[in-house]
Amino acid sequence: MADPLKTADITGNAAADLTAAAPEAAVAELPPEVVAQSLGEYVRAYVARIRAGESGVLPVVMAMVAIVVVFQVISPNNVYLSPGNLVNLFQQSAVIMVLAMAEAFALVLGEIDLSIGFVGACGAAITVQLIQPATTNWPWPLAVVAGLLFCLVFGAIQGTLITRLHLPSFIVTLAGYLVANGLFLKILLFGPFSGYPNLIGQTDNLHFIYNLMWGTIDPVVSWIGAGVVVAALGGFIWFSDSRRRTSGLVAPPASLSLIKIGLIAVVAIVVVGICNLNRGVLIVQEGVPWVIPIVIAVLAAWTILLGRTKYGRYLYAIGGNPEAARRAGINLSVVRTTAFMLCSFTAGIALLLYASYLNGMSNNVQAGYYVLYAVAAAVIGGTSLMGGRGKPLHGVLGGLVIGAIYNGMYLLALSFEWQYIVTGLVLLAAIIIDAVSRRGSTSGSVSRV
Amino acid sequence: MTTAQVATEEPLLKIRELDKHFGPVQALYHVDLDIPPGQVTALCGDNGAGKTVLTKCIAGIYQIDHGQVSWEGHPVHIHNARDAARLGIETVYQDLALADNLDIVQNMFLGRERLRNGLLDEDSMERSAAETLSSLRVTTVRSIRQPVASLSGGQRQSVAVAKAVMWNSKLVLMDEPTAALGVVQTRMVLDLIRRLRDKGLAVMVISHNLNDVFEVADNIAVLYLGRMAVQDKASNFDRQSVVEYMTTGGLGRSSGRPAKDS
C-alpha cells in the first residue's frame, strides 16, 4: 500500500526537479551582467554559470592562488613572494603575455600561428643588430621600426598564403617557424659579436632597448601614473555604465561598476606597492619597471581594437561564422591577412622585450616553445582554440599563470628535462580546460565543433 | 490570372523570361514571377525545382543569364548582394547566417556598424535594434545583449528577420523559415511574417510546408523542374492542386479544375 504512494512521490519530486533545473540552465547561458538588475541577481547568475561550466576567469584566479601557495611553501627560503622575485616574475611573464596577446589574433579566427616566436625573434635580432655602435649604429626608433616591419611582412606573406590559397594555418606557420628559425640564426651571425649580438655598451640606443625590461620609473612618478590610469579607466567605466543605465540600455548595476573599478584600483595599488619596495640586495632598487606600462599599453590598444572597432567585430564574426561574415559584406581575405600581420607585429614587440630581458640575442632564445607557452596562456585565460572567443586580457592573465609556474621551476632549479615536461603538461591542461568548458556550455563555438 | 494581377497593381518585383544555367544544367528556364508589394508570396516546388536558385538570383548571389528584372517598374540589374540591399531586397537564408558568438545587436548590425569618433557606437545600435525588435513584437528574448548561441530556433529566426527589415527593406526573401522549428516556434515565425506584411513589406517565402503556405500566403507560385508552373492568388488553390503542380507541373485529370491559364 505504501509502495505506489512512494513511487508517486518519487516521480513528483523528479518532475519538480526537472522544472526547477530548466530556468537555471537558461540563466546559465547568459553572461550575468546582461541579465542582472542588481548585485544579488548578478551573484546568483554568476553562480549558476559556474555550475553550468561557464566559469569565466574563476579557474585562472584559483590556479594562480594554488600555484603561489605551492611555490611559496617549497621555494628555497620562501623567496617566491619576495618583492624582488615578484618583479622578476612580472618581467618573465611580460614576454609570454604579449606573445599570448599576439596569438589571440589567430585564435579568435579559429586559426593558429606557430611561427610567431621566431618571427618575433628575427625582428628583435634585426633591431639589436642595427643599433650596434660598431656597425650600423642606427637610432633606436628606426631600428625598432625596421624589426617590426620585418614581422609585418612575414605575417603578410603567411596570411596571404593561408587566406588566398586556402592552406591550413597550422602547416603554413609550421613552415614559417622553420624558415624564421633559420633566418634568425643567420641574422645573429652578422657583426663583431658573431652569434651573440648584445646590448652591452654605452650608447643611448643600447641603453634604451635594455631599459625596456630593466629600466624603472621613479616611485613617486609610478604612484602618480597609476593614479592617472585608474582614474581614467574608472571614470570611463563609471560614466559609460551610468549613461547606459539612464538611457535604459543593457547595463550592469551601479554596485557592479563600483566593484570593477575597486578591483582595478586594488590591482594597481598592489602592483605599484610591490614594485616600489626596495628589492635591491646591495644597492637600492625600486620603482615600477618600464615593461609594466608597455604591457598595459599593448593590452589597451588591442582591447580597443578588438572590442570597439569594426575590424575587431569582423574578426569575431569570422571566427564565429565565416559564412555569416561573408554575407554581411565583410572582406574575409583582408581581415584574416591583417590579423596574421598584427599577430606577427605583436610578437615582434614581445621578442624585443625578450631581447631586453636577455640583454641581447643568441641562439639560446627558446622562441619555439615560447609559442606553446603563448597558446597555453591564451587558452588558460579563456580564449577558445576553436575561434570566436577570446580577449587580449586572457593572454595577460594566462601569461601570469604560466610565468608563475616558469618562475617557480626556475627557483627550484629544475633541470631542463623537467621544464619541458611541465610545459607540455601545462599546455595539455589548458586544452583540456578549453574542451571541458565548451562541453559544459552551449554558448561560444560549441556549435562549430 | 497573372496578367490580371499585373493590370490592377504594378508588382514590386517583376521577372520575365529569366534563364539560369550552371554548365550544362539548365536550372531555370523562362521563369516569370511577380511579387506584389505588401503581400506574402509563397514559392513552392519539389527538391531541385530551382527555388533556391531563383531566390539567389533575386538576392544577387547568382547572375542571371537572360531575362528582364524590374523593380518598382524600372528595369534593374542585380549584380551582387549590395545591389540587392540598395534596392531594398533582404534575404533570410535557411541557415540564418548569424554568428553564434556575437550578441543580438552585434548580429543585426554586422557589416553595417554605426561609428562615432571612429569607434563602434554601441548605444545607438542597441537602441535601434531594440526599436526594430519591439516593432516586430519580438519580446521573448531576455536581453538583446545575449549571445545568439543562447537563443531558441524561433528566436534566431526572429533575429534574422529583424536584421533583414532594419534597413528600410521593401522585399524580404525567406528560405524555408520554418523548416527546423517546432509547433510553437513555427507559429511565432508565421505571426512575424504576417506582421511584416502589415507593415507594408513584400515577403517571399520559400516553403515545402503547405500548412504554412496556406496560412500566410496571399499568392502562390509553383516551380517545376526550373519552369514556373503557375502563379496565382492563394484563394484559387487548394492543397491538392498545389501538390499536383509541384509533382507534375500541371493539373491532372482527376482534379477537375481548369488548367493554368497563362
Side-chain angles (χ1 to χ4, degrees), chain A residues 23 26-27 29-31 34-35 41 108 240 243-244 247-251 304 307-310 313-317 319-321 323-330 387-389 442-445 447-448, chain B residues 56 61 81-82 93-103 105-107 109-116 118-127 130 142-147 149-151 156 163:
Chain A
V27 167
E29 287 163 6
L30 304 177
V34 159
V35 286
E41 266 182 57
V108 164
S240 68
R243 192 184 62 233
R244 289 175 64 83
S247 52
L249 300 171
V250 177
I304 291 169
R308 310 200 44 107
T309 67
K310 274 190 176 193
R313 183 62 44 84
Y314 295 169
L315 217 54
Y316 286 107
N321 186 346
E323 183 57 23
R326 198 180 59 76
R327 291 209 197 123
I330 296 168
R389 193 155 53 101
T442 48
S443 63
S445 52
S447 58
R448 293 181 66 236
Chain B
K56 287 191 171 171
I61 308 291
R82 280 192 192 275
Y93 291 97
Q94 196 173 353
D95 63 7
L96 302 182
L98 299 173
D100 273 359
N101 56 333
L102 300 185
D103 67 32
V105 181
Q106 293 171 343
N107 265 293
F109 276 90
L110 187 58
R112 317 188 218 202
E113 287 82 1
R114 283 188 200 150
L115 298 180
R116 208 179 58 185
L119 297 177
L120 295 171
D121 189 354
E122 297 285 357
D123 293 10
S124 138
M125 289 193 280
E126 187 173 325
R127 231 171 271 131
R142 280 180 64 111
S143 161
I144 60 171
R145 282 299 179 185
Q146 70 189 79
S150 63
L151 300 179
R156 283 158 181 259
K163 178 184 178 184

Side-chain angles (χ1 to χ4, degrees), chain B residues 111-209:
Chain B
R112 317 188 218 202
E113 287 82 1
R114 283 188 200 150
L115 298 180
R116 208 179 58 185
N117 305 328
L119 297 177
L120 295 171
D121 189 354
E122 297 285 357
D123 293 10
S124 138
M125 289 193 280
E126 187 173 325
R127 231 171 271 131
S128 302
E131 270 167 30
T132 305
L133 286 171
S134 70
S135 80
L136 295 172
R137 279 182 268 154
V138 179
T139 49
T140 57
V141 296
R142 280 180 64 111
S143 161
I144 60 171
R145 282 299 179 185
Q146 70 189 79
V148 165
S150 63
L151 300 179
S152 72
Q155 290 173 331
R156 283 158 181 259
Q157 186 71 244
S158 306
V159 171
V161 170
K163 178 184 178 184
V165 302
M166 205 160 55
W167 311 98
N168 294 321
S169 48
K170 294 171 180 161
L171 168 61
V172 178
L173 309 173
M174 297 177 78
D175 191 356
E176 298 276 7
T178 58
L181 301 181
V183 177
V184 178
Q185 310 270 353
T186 299
R187 172 122 329 270
M188 194 166 125
V189 171
L190 294 181
D191 286 344
L192 189 59
I193 292 171
R194 275 190 216 102
R195 252 173 258 137
L196 296 183
R197 175 183 57 196
D198 296 346
K199 283 169 69 117
L201 274 80
V203 182
M204 188 175 90
V205 180
I206 299 180
S207 187
H208 275 119
N209 187 329

Side-chain angles (χ1 to χ4, degrees), chain A residues 63 67 71 96 369-381 385 397-409 414 417-435:
Chain A
I67 290 163
F71 280 121
I96 301 169
Y369 76 108
Y370 259 71
V371 175
L372 301 185
Y373 277 145
V375 173
V379 173
I380 288 172
L385 285 172
L397 294 176
L400 199 59
V401 172
I402 300 270
I405 297 172
Y406 189 78
N407 175 281
M409 294 194 298
L414 280 188
E417 302 88 313
W418 280 108
Q419 293 197 18
Y420 285 133
I421 291 169
V422 172
T423 308
L425 292 179
V426 166
L427 186 60
L428 200 61
I431 293 164
I432 290 171
I433 291 170
D434 183 39

Side-chain angles (χ1 to χ4, degrees), chain A residues 85-260:
Chain A
N85 189 56
L86 284 177
V87 173
N88 192 19
L89 193 156
F90 287 144
Q91 290 169 323
Q92 287 171 329
S93 308
V95 178
I96 301 169
M97 288 173 178
V98 178
L99 210 54
M101 287 194 266
E103 195 64 72
F105 284 101
L107 294 180
V108 164
L109 284 174
E111 310 273 358
I112 196 161
D113 192 334
L114 297 174
S115 70
I116 53 173
F118 276 112
V119 173
C122 286
I126 289 170
T127 303
V128 172
Q129 288 285 24
L130 286 176
I131 57 172
Q132 292 301 327
T135 53
T136 37
N137 198 19
W138 281 27
W140 66 264
L142 269 182
V144 169
V145 166
L148 294 179
L149 204 60
F150 170 88
C151 297
L152 275 175
V153 171
F154 206 100
I157 293 169
Q158 292 190 129
T160 304
L161 289 171
I162 291 162
T163 56
R164 305 278 172 182
L165 297 182
H166 303 287
L167 303 177
S169 57
F170 185 88
I171 304 298
V172 171
T173 59
L174 188 61
Y177 169 107
L178 293 171
V179 171
N181 193 348
L183 281 176
F184 173 62
L185 296 174
K186 279 279 178 204
I187 294 166
L188 292 182
L189 294 177
F190 290 99
F193 308 97
S194 181
Y196 302 92
N198 54 52
L199 302 172
I200 299 163
Q202 291 303 315
T203 72
D204 289 346
N205 295 323
L206 293 170
H207 281 158
F208 182 84
I209 301 298
Y210 175 81
N211 278 338
L212 289 177
M213 192 58 97
W214 298 106
T216 54
I217 302 166
D218 179 77
V220 176
V221 178
S222 301
W223 282 118
I224 294 169
V228 168
V229 169
V230 170
L233 203 57
F236 175 78
I237 290 174
W238 179 253
F239 285 114
S240 68
D241 281 359
S242 59
R243 192 184 62 233
R244 289 175 64 83
R245 267 193 297 276
T246 48
S247 52
L249 300 171
V250 177
S255 48
L256 189 63
S257 307
L258 286 177
I259 289 177
K260 260 195 231 168

